């Protein structure tokens, strides 16, 4: 399948027929001969392929750092793609100079990715702080210098920016400080112009649904460019997260980053941002959607675990009907879903937490960031008169599907909040799971992990009732 696409690549407006399933990495390196964007792992792990993708929002362009190895061409239609060559038009920029001065580059293979990710931080940051900048760099790996020199270089840039007067025009400020080139000034106007001329692509009839592509392009990287794809961004409306009556409605195309920055989510769930930060890297969160996390049916999907503990419902939209199914009933076996071939998940809906409620998410993986869980669990409860009035708990990595711990929930519901009842609930949970041993640990290890993570929820939420000494 070919599609007529129109977008901006660095300074240039590009219009033509492209395979929408081809990766932006292949377009840049093979068609445009822009070899500064590197191909490392092709699995979203190393960040050497990172590009900026800008999308028009009113009179501004929102730029995000994204792994071009997992990004289909169809998803840059109407947008602005910037490779390292697009950041270097006026020579080495301020950050690049500090990378040299601080010993932050050696073979240079990773350097373009770091420069792009740091620029993405500068283009979006509310305040310039090294710790926050580092979060934008967690998806970039350097095997030569180690990361301290790179972080020092970022710190030097931020020190200079923080000495300047507060800016009103971010783009002008970054141009003035030799961090981005002049043409950024006209990007919004150019995008407006191409949006008017853009012909929407008709993907109807094609089968393979691609949302963020962060699973599909890893699983099927070798063959996906030969397939007809159907982009979820063309199928689902863009009103991402909203409150309606007593429910919160989340579009299946909402990304983890959309939730991470959502005031609705952060006001509702204290500490939600920290939960989101445990998911992949900034690049992955900028693309990974909630619909994709639920539908890849991985037993260790973090967002699936989170929404299970909210007892969320899915809205399935088919050709002739729309229906609802509870997420806890959606999984019929390993990678088997209650979904017809013509259906997509369009929305996720949950009841807004009410009264005295508490929530907690726990995840263990081999390294804290940029890793998939060995075991995860999410807990939600409402409390009335020192009793658990509503309880929902999930567990990932302890069976063939993401698990809703219904027996544990039943064991705790209506019970007083004390150690004996919590212990009984956790003992019950351990009878309703069936972990298997794999590269992430033996079955017994995963059982022990889940036990400890379940206790961690209660130690965090009810420190007056349950302490480490009691559990050990
Ligand atoms: C480096 C890296 C780190 C990662 N870290 C984590 C992590 O920490 N935690 C975690 O949970 N996951 C992680 N993942 C896995 C992945 O990013 C997530 O599962 C992500 O949410 C998938 O969403 P997507 O939009 O990219 O899905 P896609 O790859 O686009 O799709 C996945 C599957 O879902 C189907 N699908 C997508 N949307 C819909 C829909 N609306 N209706 C019906 N079917 C649909 C697709 O057809 C496909 O079968 C990581 C992946 C990578 C590469
Ligand atoms: S090539 Fe490694 S993240 Fe894309
Ligand atoms: S400088 Fe060689 S990988 Fe970073």
């Amino acid at each position: 399948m070919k599609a007529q696409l129109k977008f901006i690549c660095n300074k240039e407006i590009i219009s033509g027929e492209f395979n929408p399933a081809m990766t932006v990495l292949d377009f840049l390196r093979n068609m445009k001969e822009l070899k500064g964007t590197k191909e490392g792992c092709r699995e979203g792990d190393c960040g050497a392929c990172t590009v900026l993708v800008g999308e028009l929002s009113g009179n501004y362009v929102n730029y995000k750092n994204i792994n071009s190895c997992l990004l289909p061409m169809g998803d840059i239609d109407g947008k602005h793609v910037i490779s390292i060559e697009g950041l270097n038009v006026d020579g080495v920029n301020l950050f690049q100079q500090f990378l040299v001065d601080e010993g932050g580059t050696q073979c240079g293979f990773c350097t373009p990715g770091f420069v792009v990710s740091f620029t993405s931080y500068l283009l979006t940051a509310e305040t310039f702080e090294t710790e926050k900048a580092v979060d934008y760099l967690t998806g970039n790996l350097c095997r030569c210098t180690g990361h301290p020199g790179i972080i020092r270089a970022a710190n030097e840039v931020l020190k200079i920016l923080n000495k300047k007067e507060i800016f009103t025009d971010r783009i002008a400020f970054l141009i003035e400080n030799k961090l981005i080139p002049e043409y950024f000034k006209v990007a919004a106007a150019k995008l407006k112009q191409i949006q008017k001329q853009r012909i929407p692509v008709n993907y109807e009839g094609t089968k393979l649904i691609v949302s963020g592509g962060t699973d599909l392009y890893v699983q099927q990287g070798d063959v996906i460019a030969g397939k007809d794809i159907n982009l979820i961004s063309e199928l689902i409306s863009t009103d991402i997260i909203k409150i309606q009556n007593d429910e919160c409605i989340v579009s299946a195309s909402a990304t983890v980053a959309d939730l991470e920055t959502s005031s609705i989510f952060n006001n509702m769930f204290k500490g939600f941002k920290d939960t989101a930060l445990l998911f992949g890297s900034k690049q992955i969160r900028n693309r990974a959607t909630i619909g994709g996390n639920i539908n890849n049916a991985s037993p260790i999907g973090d967002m699936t675990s989170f929404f299970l503990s909210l007892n969320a419902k899915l809205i399935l939209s088919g050709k002739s009907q729309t229906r609802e199914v509870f997420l806890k009933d959606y999984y019929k076996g390993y990678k088997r879903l209650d979904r017809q071939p013509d259906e997509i998940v369009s929305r996720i809906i949950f009841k807004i937490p009410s009264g005295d409620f508490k929530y907690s998410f726990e995840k263990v993986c081999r390294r804290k960031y940029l890793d998939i869980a060995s075991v995860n669990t999410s807990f939600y409860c409402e409390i009335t008169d020192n009793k658990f009035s509503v309880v929902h708990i999930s567990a990932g990595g302890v069976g063939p599907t993401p698990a809703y711990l219904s027996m544990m929930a039943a064991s705790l519901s209506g019970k007083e909040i004390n150690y004996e009842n919590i212990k009984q609930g956790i003992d019950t949970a351990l009878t309703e799971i069936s972990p298997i041993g794999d590269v992430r640990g033996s079955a017994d290890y995963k059982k022990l992990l889940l036990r400890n993570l379940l206790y961690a929820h209660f130690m965090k939420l009810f420190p007056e009732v349950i302490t480490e000494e009691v559990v050990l």
Side-chain angles (χ1 to χ4, degrees):
M1 178 193 176
K2 291 263 183 196
Q4 186 70 34
L5 305 180
K6 190 160 196 166
F7 55 94
I8 310 173
C9 176
N10 298 330
K11 286 161 107 170
E12 188 190 352
I13 293 182
I14 296 187
S15 177
E17 283 213 325
F18 293 94
N19 171 1
M22 177 175 73
T23 65
V24 171
L25 176 65
D26 288 340
F27 161 73
L28 290 171
R29 288 185 60 85
N30 304 338
M31 294 180 78
K32 292 297 288 175
E33 294 287 323
L34 293 171
K35 305 281 188 185
T37 304
K38 302 297 181 211
E39 178 178 339
C41 60
R42 246 190 139 94
E43 292 197 348
D45 266 324
C46 73
C49 66
T50 306
V51 294
L52 284 173
V53 178
E55 195 168 356
L56 195 63
S57 169
N59 290 325
Y60 296 95
V61 186
N62 281 335
Y63 289 100
K64 292 177 180 166
N65 56 335
I66 284 174
N67 300 120
S68 63
C69 66
L70 308 178
L71 178 63
M73 284 297 286
D75 259 342
I76 60 165
D77 194 23
K79 298 183 187 164
H80 187 190
V81 179
I82 303 173
S83 67
I84 186 68
E85 291 84 355
L87 293 178
N88 267 149
V89 286
D90 303 325
V92 169
N93 75 26
L94 186 64
F95 179 51
Q96 288 171 312
Q97 189 55 55
F98 276 119
L99 282 172
V100 175
D101 298 347
E102 295 295 331
T105 182
Q106 193 175 321
C107 79
F109 191 83
C110 68
T111 310
F114 275 101
V115 174
V116 172
S117 286
F118 184 64
T119 308
S120 157
Y121 172 69
L122 297 175
L123 285 162
T124 43
E126 282 167 23
T127 50
F128 294 131
E129 294 168 54
T130 308
E131 203 184 314
K132 291 192 176 149
V134 168
D135 176 47
Y136 279 67
L137 306 180
T138 50
N140 295 85
L141 302 179
C142 173
R143 62 180 181 168
C144 296
T145 66
H147 291 197
I150 297 164
I151 295 169
R152 277 198 306 275
N155 191 37
E156 289 304 318
V157 173
L158 300 181
K159 270 198 310 208
I160 291 178
L161 297 186
N162 279 323
K163 280 189 199 138
K164 307 266 163 130
E165 275 179 31
I166 293 171
F167 57 86
T168 45
D169 181 340
R170 181 189 297 265
I171 296 291
F173 178 73
L174 295 177
I175 293 172
E176 201 179 295
N177 284 288
K178 290 194 176 329
L179 285 155
I180 55 172
E182 282 278 330
Y183 73 86
F184 269 73
K185 273 188 191 156
V186 294
K190 272 189 176 175
L191 278 180
K192 274 188 192 163
Q193 183 194 330
I194 66 166
Q195 298 267 315
K196 278 193 209 138
Q197 301 159 350
R198 190 180 151 234
I199 309 156
V201 180
N202 183 3
Y203 288 98
E204 216 168 282
T206 55
K207 292 277 184 312
L208 182 60
I209 295 163
V210 176
S211 197
T214 60
D215 267 313
L216 277 175
Y217 276 76
V218 174
Q219 309 294 336
Q220 304 189 23
D222 296 342
V223 292
I224 202 162
K227 296 194 175 180
D228 276 351
I229 61 165
N230 204 337
L231 292 170
I232 210 85
S233 50
E234 300 289 334
L235 301 172
I236 295 180
S237 75
T238 51
D239 53 349
I240 299 279
I241 301 162
K242 64 180 180 189
I243 300 274
Q244 204 168 293
N245 303 322
D246 63 345
E247 291 183 322
C248 180
I249 304 175
V250 180
S251 163
S253 63
T255 61
V256 179
D258 289 328
L259 264 56
E260 178 188 339
T261 53
S262 153
S263 53
I264 293 182
F265 264 70
N266 283 294
N267 289 338
M268 214 159 12
F269 302 108
K270 199 166 148 266
F272 180 78
K273 213 178 179 106
D274 296 331
T275 298
L277 287 181
L278 296 175
F279 192 111
S281 59
K282 191 75 184 170
Q283 287 97 317
I284 293 292
R285 296 198 294 279
N286 278 336
R287 284 289 295 168
T289 65
I290 309 308
N293 203 253
I294 288 171
N295 283 284
N296 79 31
S298 160
I300 44 176
D302 289 332
M303 287 297 127
T304 306
S305 194
F306 171 71
F307 281 102
L308 271 171
S309 74
L310 298 178
N311 200 23
K313 286 182 294 194
L314 306 179
I315 304 298
L316 288 145
S317 306
K319 282 216 166 68
S320 52
Q321 61 155 355
T322 295
R323 66 187 177 99
E324 289 183 4
V325 56
F326 275 99
L327 180 55
K328 64 183 174 190
D329 300 326
Y330 191 50
Y331 300 104
K332 297 294 174 199
Y334 180 67
K335 301 261 177 190
R336 280 197 299 116
L337 304 172
D338 176 10
R339 176 158 66 86
Q340 298 304 312
D342 70 319
E343 288 179 327
I344 57 163
V345 172
S346 53
R347 273 147 204 278
I348 299 106
I349 300 183
F350 63 90
K351 200 171 147 286
I352 295 170
S354 59
D356 185 4
F357 77 91
K358 291 183 191 284
Y359 128 85
S360 160
F361 178 86
E362 293 287 340
K363 166 178 177 176
V364 168
C365 28
R366 284 171 300 179
R367 56 182 181 194
K368 185 168 179 191
Y369 296 110
L370 197 51
D371 202 2
I372 294 178
S374 298
V375 172
N376 64 23
T377 165
S378 193
F379 175 81
Y380 172 85
C381 71
E382 288 173 19
I383 299 158
T384 315
D385 299 332
N386 198 37
K387 286 185 180 156
F388 293 110
S389 44
V390 174
V391 182
H392 299 295
I393 316 151
S394 64
V398 289
T401 64
Y404 177 84
L405 300 179
S406 54
M407 285 164 64
M408 178 172 174
S411 162
L412 287 176
S413 289
K415 298 269 177 62
E416 200 168 307
I417 301 171
N418 60 37
Y419 171 66
E420 285 72 29
N421 288 335
I422 291 170
K423 180 178 182 310
Q424 194 175 29
I426 292 175
D427 289 345
T428 306
L430 300 183
T431 65
E432 62 176 315
I433 56 168
S434 50
I436 51 161
D438 60 19
V439 286
R440 296 180 172 271
S442 67
D444 283 347
Y445 172 66
K446 289 185 186 174
K447 212 170 198 176
L448 181 64
L449 275 186
L450 180 66
R451 172 197 178 271
N452 292 351
L453 293 185
L454 290 173
Y455 274 115
H457 289 314
F458 294 99
M459 288 189 323
K460 183 163 62 186
L461 300 177
F462 304 100
E464 66 290 354
V465 172
I466 190 154
T467 60
E468 205 173 303
E469 293 75 50
V470 178
V471 176
L472 294 173

